[in-house]
Short mmCIF file of all heavy atoms in Angstrom, two decimals:
data_model
loop_
_atom_site.label_atom_id
_atom_site.label_comp_id
_atom_site.label_asym_id
_atom_site.label_seq_id
_atom_site.Cartn_x
_atom_site.Cartn_y
_atom_site.Cartn_z
N PHE E 4 165.00 15.26 105.36
CA PHE E 4 164.97 14.73 103.95
C PHE E 4 163.63 15.05 103.41
O PHE E 4 162.59 14.75 103.93
CB PHE E 4 165.13 13.23 104.03
CG PHE E 4 164.90 12.56 102.71
CD1 PHE E 4 165.84 12.76 101.61
CD2 PHE E 4 163.78 11.74 102.49
CE1 PHE E 4 165.62 12.21 100.45
CE2 PHE E 4 163.64 11.10 101.14
CZ PHE E 4 164.45 11.34 100.17
N ASN E 5 163.64 15.90 102.34
CA ASN E 5 162.47 16.34 101.70
C ASN E 5 162.26 15.69 100.32
O ASN E 5 162.78 16.16 99.34
CB ASN E 5 162.54 17.91 101.62
CG ASN E 5 161.22 18.53 101.42
OD1 ASN E 5 160.17 17.84 101.20
ND2 ASN E 5 161.13 19.84 101.38
N PRO E 6 161.51 14.62 100.25
CA PRO E 6 161.37 13.81 98.98
C PRO E 6 160.91 14.67 97.88
O PRO E 6 159.94 15.48 97.99
CB PRO E 6 160.47 12.68 99.32
CG PRO E 6 160.46 12.69 100.80
CD PRO E 6 160.77 14.01 101.36
N LEU E 7 161.50 14.53 96.67
CA LEU E 7 161.13 15.27 95.52
C LEU E 7 159.69 15.00 95.16
O LEU E 7 158.91 15.90 94.85
CB LEU E 7 161.96 14.86 94.27
CG LEU E 7 163.41 15.45 94.28
CD1 LEU E 7 164.06 14.86 93.03
CD2 LEU E 7 163.32 16.93 94.17
N LEU E 8 159.28 13.69 95.14
CA LEU E 8 157.97 13.38 94.70
C LEU E 8 156.80 13.96 95.70
O LEU E 8 155.87 14.41 95.19
CB LEU E 8 157.84 11.86 94.64
CG LEU E 8 158.66 11.13 93.61
CD1 LEU E 8 158.47 9.61 93.69
CD2 LEU E 8 158.34 11.70 92.17
N ILE E 9 157.11 14.00 96.91
CA ILE E 9 156.22 14.55 97.91
C ILE E 9 156.09 16.08 97.62
O ILE E 9 155.01 16.69 97.58
CB ILE E 9 156.71 14.37 99.34
CG1 ILE E 9 156.62 12.80 99.63
CG2 ILE E 9 155.76 15.05 100.32
CD1 ILE E 9 155.30 12.17 99.39
N ARG E 10 157.20 16.78 97.37
CA ARG E 10 157.23 18.17 97.03
C ARG E 10 156.36 18.42 95.78
O ARG E 10 155.56 19.32 95.71
CB ARG E 10 158.60 18.68 96.84
CG ARG E 10 159.43 18.70 98.12
CD ARG E 10 160.87 18.99 98.05
NE ARG E 10 161.43 19.78 96.93
CZ ARG E 10 162.70 19.84 96.57
NH1 ARG E 10 163.54 19.10 97.20
NH2 ARG E 10 162.97 20.51 95.52
N PHE E 11 156.58 17.62 94.73
CA PHE E 11 155.77 17.77 93.45
C PHE E 11 154.32 17.47 93.69
O PHE E 11 153.43 18.30 93.20
CB PHE E 11 156.37 16.84 92.49
CG PHE E 11 157.84 17.12 92.10
CD1 PHE E 11 158.58 16.10 91.60
CD2 PHE E 11 158.34 18.41 92.19
CE1 PHE E 11 159.96 16.41 91.21
CE2 PHE E 11 159.64 18.64 91.86
CZ PHE E 11 160.47 17.66 91.42
N ILE E 12 154.04 16.53 94.50
CA ILE E 12 152.59 16.17 94.78
C ILE E 12 151.92 17.33 95.50
O ILE E 12 150.79 17.67 95.26
CB ILE E 12 152.49 14.89 95.58
CG1 ILE E 12 152.76 13.67 94.66
CG2 ILE E 12 151.06 14.72 96.23
CD1 ILE E 12 152.80 12.35 95.33
N TYR E 13 152.63 18.05 96.37
CA TYR E 13 152.09 19.17 97.15
C TYR E 13 152.22 20.42 96.32
O TYR E 13 151.86 21.43 96.97
CB TYR E 13 152.75 19.21 98.49
CG TYR E 13 152.31 18.06 99.44
CD1 TYR E 13 153.21 17.41 100.15
CD2 TYR E 13 151.00 17.73 99.62
CE1 TYR E 13 152.81 16.37 101.04
CE2 TYR E 13 150.60 16.76 100.42
CZ TYR E 13 151.44 16.15 101.16
OH TYR E 13 151.04 15.08 101.98
N GLY E 14 152.61 20.35 95.09
CA GLY E 14 152.56 21.67 94.33
C GLY E 14 153.76 22.28 93.77
O GLY E 14 153.69 23.19 93.00
N GLU E 15 154.92 21.84 94.21
CA GLU E 15 156.07 22.48 93.70
C GLU E 15 156.18 22.13 92.18
O GLU E 15 155.97 21.03 91.72
CB GLU E 15 157.33 21.92 94.26
CG GLU E 15 158.66 22.51 93.87
CD GLU E 15 159.89 22.11 94.59
OE1 GLU E 15 159.82 21.98 95.84
OE2 GLU E 15 160.92 21.83 93.97
N ASP E 16 156.61 23.18 91.36
CA ASP E 16 156.43 23.01 89.92
C ASP E 16 157.72 22.24 89.46
O ASP E 16 158.80 22.78 89.40
CB ASP E 16 156.33 24.37 89.24
CG ASP E 16 156.10 24.27 87.75
OD1 ASP E 16 156.13 23.12 87.17
OD2 ASP E 16 155.89 25.31 87.09
N PHE E 17 157.54 21.02 89.04
CA PHE E 17 158.67 20.13 88.61
C PHE E 17 159.16 20.63 87.15
O PHE E 17 160.23 20.34 86.85
CB PHE E 17 158.25 18.71 88.60
CG PHE E 17 157.00 18.37 87.81
CD1 PHE E 17 157.11 18.08 86.42
CD2 PHE E 17 155.80 18.41 88.45
CE1 PHE E 17 155.92 17.72 85.72
CE2 PHE E 17 154.59 18.13 87.69
CZ PHE E 17 154.68 17.81 86.40
N ARG E 18 158.23 21.29 86.42
CA ARG E 18 158.67 21.72 85.09
C ARG E 18 159.69 22.87 85.02
O ARG E 18 160.42 22.94 84.10
CB ARG E 18 157.37 22.16 84.27
CG ARG E 18 156.45 20.94 84.02
CD ARG E 18 155.19 21.52 83.43
NE ARG E 18 154.03 20.58 83.47
CZ ARG E 18 153.19 20.52 84.48
NH1 ARG E 18 153.22 21.32 85.49
NH2 ARG E 18 152.24 19.63 84.46
N THR E 19 159.69 23.67 86.08
CA THR E 19 160.60 24.85 86.03
C THR E 19 161.74 24.63 86.90
O THR E 19 162.70 25.40 86.82
CB THR E 19 159.82 26.08 86.54
OG1 THR E 19 159.21 25.92 87.80
CG2 THR E 19 158.78 26.41 85.56
N ARG E 20 161.73 23.56 87.75
CA ARG E 20 162.86 23.28 88.65
C ARG E 20 164.06 22.77 87.85
O ARG E 20 163.85 21.90 86.93
CB ARG E 20 162.42 22.19 89.61
CG ARG E 20 163.48 21.81 90.60
CD ARG E 20 162.88 20.63 91.44
NE ARG E 20 163.94 19.99 92.18
CZ ARG E 20 164.79 19.18 91.63
NH1 ARG E 20 164.57 18.71 90.49
NH2 ARG E 20 165.72 18.55 92.37
N PRO E 21 165.25 23.20 88.10
CA PRO E 21 166.44 22.67 87.35
C PRO E 21 166.51 21.22 87.64
O PRO E 21 166.48 20.74 88.82
CB PRO E 21 167.61 23.38 88.01
CG PRO E 21 167.03 24.64 88.60
CD PRO E 21 165.66 24.30 89.06
N VAL E 22 166.74 20.37 86.57
CA VAL E 22 166.79 18.88 86.71
C VAL E 22 168.21 18.57 86.79
O VAL E 22 169.05 19.06 85.99
CB VAL E 22 166.06 18.27 85.56
CG1 VAL E 22 166.22 16.70 85.62
CG2 VAL E 22 164.64 18.63 85.46
N LYS E 23 168.55 17.59 87.67
CA LYS E 23 169.95 17.11 87.84
C LYS E 23 169.81 15.52 87.44
O LYS E 23 168.80 15.01 87.66
CB LYS E 23 170.44 17.24 89.15
CG LYS E 23 170.48 18.73 89.67
CD LYS E 23 170.91 18.77 91.15
CE LYS E 23 170.69 20.10 91.66
NZ LYS E 23 170.85 20.20 93.16
N ILE E 24 170.92 15.02 87.05
CA ILE E 24 170.98 13.60 86.74
C ILE E 24 170.65 12.85 88.09
O ILE E 24 170.01 11.71 88.01
CB ILE E 24 172.29 13.16 86.25
CG1 ILE E 24 172.21 11.69 85.67
CG2 ILE E 24 173.42 13.35 87.22
CD1 ILE E 24 173.33 11.27 84.80
N SER E 25 171.00 13.38 89.24
CA SER E 25 170.76 12.67 90.53
C SER E 25 169.25 12.57 90.80
O SER E 25 168.78 11.75 91.63
CB SER E 25 171.47 13.45 91.63
OG SER E 25 170.94 14.71 91.80
N ASP E 26 168.42 13.35 90.10
CA ASP E 26 166.96 13.26 90.29
C ASP E 26 166.48 11.82 89.86
O ASP E 26 165.58 11.34 90.49
CB ASP E 26 166.22 14.25 89.42
CG ASP E 26 166.51 15.73 89.99
OD1 ASP E 26 166.98 15.92 91.06
OD2 ASP E 26 166.00 16.64 89.25
N SER E 27 167.10 11.23 88.90
CA SER E 27 166.71 9.97 88.47
C SER E 27 166.79 8.96 89.60
O SER E 27 165.86 8.21 89.99
CB SER E 27 167.49 9.51 87.31
OG SER E 27 167.26 8.09 87.00
#
Side-chain angles (χ1 to χ4, degrees):
F4 173 66
N5 197 354
L7 284 177
L8 294 176
I9 298 300
R10 289 169 30 196
F11 299 151
I12 286 171
Y13 288 133
E15 184 175 318
D16 189 355
F17 55 90
R18 291 175 199 90
T19 59
R20 181 186 165 277
V22 177
K23 302 175 190 169
I24 191 167
S25 62
D26 290 351
S27 174

